[in-house]
Amino acid sequence: MSSPSLSSLGWDDSWAEAFAPYDGMVPGRVARVDRGRCDVLTRHGEVQAAWRGDPPCAGDWVALRGGRVGAILPRRTSFVRGGVARQSRGGLSGDSQSQVLAANVDVAFIVEPAVPDASQGRIERLLALAWQSGATPYVVITKADLANDLPYLIEAVKAAAPGVDVHAVSAMTGDGLDAVRALATGTSVLLGPSGAGKSTLVNALAGQQVMRTQEIRASDGRGRHTTTHRELVAVPGGLIIDTPGVRRVGLYDVDEGLAQAFSDVEDLAAECRFSDCAHETEPGCAVLLAVESGDLPERRLTGWRRLRREAEWIASRTDARLRSERLRERKLIHRQARRDRSH
């Protein structure tokens, strides 16, 4: 993508207005961040830039001056991964650090392979992240040609993604690609596990090899992970950010995203007798009644509980970390003030 027009990168009047304070600087969009430097696409071609302070991410619009990122323009949407929480004997453990995965994205494709097994839990987790970002999510089942019972798989995935369109595709046969290509306008991002075929899907949508891929293993249908960084690439009609496979994504500040991802549970919860119903043993709990009647799969309630518990834990750890950082900053300020008075 040499010397692209800014409009082909997603530039519009709103971005021009946001860039107005940076007169004399050059606007550009971050294509890749790696090892302390970022590749930025500008009207003059691709340039490398360094930065100070908070790092940019793929999809960011930035203001450049002399090989440096002078500013990151306010993000319209952002995918924020929280610290990973792990279940142990003592409860949840892990870290609370957050990371922006991609910015200014219009469409989020949750990519899940048909083989060896599509994970409903992973789809729910990534949908919560996608809904929270502000992008429009879709679920894409890759390697559809290898599925033993594709109609059954699609229905199972739909049960984990209420209100979200589900598309099955095969990069090998081309089936389903036109429907996904029609959705890949503006800026899209692919989220999914290693070996799901994300890079292969990007190449299929682009109509040429723009991302490196490896063959799947014949023994189990698994692909080997090749993408090691997030990268913005051009496809007909838009741009796509391919991401490394994620084994685990912590949920950071995702109340609205969880409510959207579990809209079936939330709708039932609104009918509970008590407004603060925990859906455990309370009388008149519409959620528990739906599980007992079979209208709501029990795994949906279990998944909702697990992700809410994790999100609350990460939020509490984040709050504790911020309090600790503020206390440390105040101590440093007081210490410096004492030194100044002593002199």
Side-chain angles (χ1 to χ4, degrees), residues 114-328:
V115 291
D117 290 302
S119 169
Q120 291 173 297
R122 182 165 54 216
I123 291 171
E124 290 167 344
R125 177 182 294 272
L126 292 177
L127 278 175
L129 185 74
W131 279 121
Q132 188 69 32
S133 75
T136 301
Y138 298 94
V139 177
V140 177
I141 303 173
T142 56
K143 308 178 187 179
D145 56 299
L146 301 178
N148 292 324
D149 189 341
L150 186 58
Y152 173 81
L153 176 60
I154 291 175
E155 290 306 310
V157 170
K158 285 183 176 179
V164 176
D165 291 342
V166 177
H167 298 271
V169 304
S170 169
M172 293 294 294
T173 66
D175 290 343
L177 286 176
D178 285 344
V180 174
R181 189 177 288 114
L183 299 172
T185 58
T187 301
S188 307
V189 66
L190 303 184
L191 300 172
S194 298
K198 296 188 298 297
S199 296
T200 300
L201 179 59
V202 171
N203 290 338
L205 295 175
Q208 60 181 315
Q209 183 159 343
V210 293
M211 301 298 295
R212 188 168 63 90
T213 63
Q214 293 189 21
E215 296 295 326
I216 63 173
R217 295 196 297 256
S219 59
D220 57 9
R222 291 181 182 272
R224 288 177 291 178
H225 175 52
T226 53
T227 301
T228 58
H229 53 267
R230 288 166 286 280
E231 184 167 354
L232 180 77
V233 298
V235 297
L239 301 154
I240 288 185
I241 299 175
D242 189 15
T243 65
V246 286
R247 292 182 179 179
R248 186 78 166 169
V249 178
L251 300 178
Y252 177 80
D253 192 18
V254 291
D255 286 350
E256 293 182 12
L258 276 175
Q260 288 271 50
F262 288 88
S263 58
D264 49 353
V265 178
E266 296 287 338
D267 288 346
L268 288 166
E271 301 175 9
C272 291
R273 180 184 302 176
F274 303 107
S275 60
D276 60 347
C277 184
H279 320 306
E280 297 286 353
T281 59
E282 295 87 348
C285 175
V287 175
L288 294 179
L289 287 174
V291 171
E292 292 174 5
S293 67
D295 291 337
L296 179 71
E298 186 174 2
R299 65 156 303 279
R300 285 288 287 169
L301 178 56
T302 301
W304 177 82
R305 286 171 175 163
R306 181 178 63 252
L307 294 185
R308 280 191 64 88
R309 186 167 57 246
E310 177 184 323
E312 289 168 357
W313 179 87
I314 290 176
S316 67
R317 288 294 301 269
T318 300
D319 289 343
R321 179 172 56 81
L322 290 175
R323 287 195 299 271
S324 178
E325 290 176 354
R326 292 191 189 103
L327 178 60
R328 184 168 60 251

Side-chain angles (χ1 to χ4, degrees), residues 94-122:
D95 67 79
S96 58
Q97 298 291 330
S98 62
Q99 176 190 20
V100 181
L101 299 176
N104 305 313
V105 170
D106 305 299
V107 172
F109 291 115
I110 310 304
V111 182
E112 187 67 24
V115 291
D117 290 302
S119 169
Q120 291 173 297
R122 182 165 54 216

Side-chain angles (χ1 to χ4, degrees), residues 6-21 27 43 61 73-74 76:
L6 288 182
S7 60
S8 70
L9 299 176
W11 187 261
D12 56 25
D13 291 342
S14 179
W15 286 120
E17 183 179 351
F19 190 79
R43 62 165 62 94
W61 280 100
L73 271 60
R76 292 179 180 175

Side-chain angles (χ1 to χ4, degrees), residues 54-74:
D54 293 335
C57 70
D60 269 330
W61 280 100
V62 297
L64 298 174
R65 174 183 286 139
R68 283 195 171 274
V69 174
I72 300 173
L73 271 60

